[in-house]
Amino acid sequence: MDEILLEIVGTQKIDNQRDKMELTTVGILEEQNDAYVIRYSEEQEPPTKPIRVCVKIDKNEKSVEMTRSGAFNSCLIIEKSKRNLCRYGTEFGDILMGISGHTIEHEYADEKGHFLFSYDIDINGALASRNEVKMTFRKNQE
């Protein structure tokens, strides 16, 4: 396991509007036989505790599993050319969403790399948003 500096850029397109989220944080990268696993925390407004995030990217670029745990839990499974039903926790209860995967890519060499994945979210079969996440990292040189 290696400590990494992680930059995450998430883009969400709803109708003709685009929203962008950027986060820079420190995390952990673990290389397993068949996957890369990134773990990091997202700080929240007090008194809410941080959200722990785990992203598992298959080396064969077929799937990504993103779990979030904290005040509300969720698990999104993104598979290329496949729709999965996933739950997303909110303060009002869980929402059941369809997640249709498109792109899953990774590049990792010389202590740095990036992961890119894109997917659509639908609720009750109606397209809610088109999403793209790019995670760029480098091993921490402290």
Side-chain angles (χ1 to χ4, degrees), residues 12-68:
Q12 183 179 54
K13 185 177 178 188
I14 302 171
D15 297 323
N16 291 325
Q17 297 181 343
R18 187 176 294 268
D19 188 28
K20 188 177 189 181
M21 181 278 308
E22 296 182 47
L23 171 68
T24 300
T25 189
V26 174
I28 300 293
L29 172 65
E30 178 183 352
E31 185 173 356
Q32 299 177 345
N33 288 337
D34 59 349
Y36 298 102
V37 179
I38 292 179
R39 291 182 177 86
Y40 64 94
S41 291
E42 292 179 1
E43 295 299 321
Q44 304 296 306
E45 291 291 324
T48 305
K49 293 181 180 177
I51 295 172
R52 293 175 311 285
V53 181
C54 179
V55 182
K56 182 178 179 182
I57 302 102
D58 285 348
K59 288 182 178 178
N60 64 13
E61 299 183 339
K62 289 188 178 184
S63 70
V64 173
E65 181 178 319
M66 187 177 349
T67 56
R68 298 168 55 90

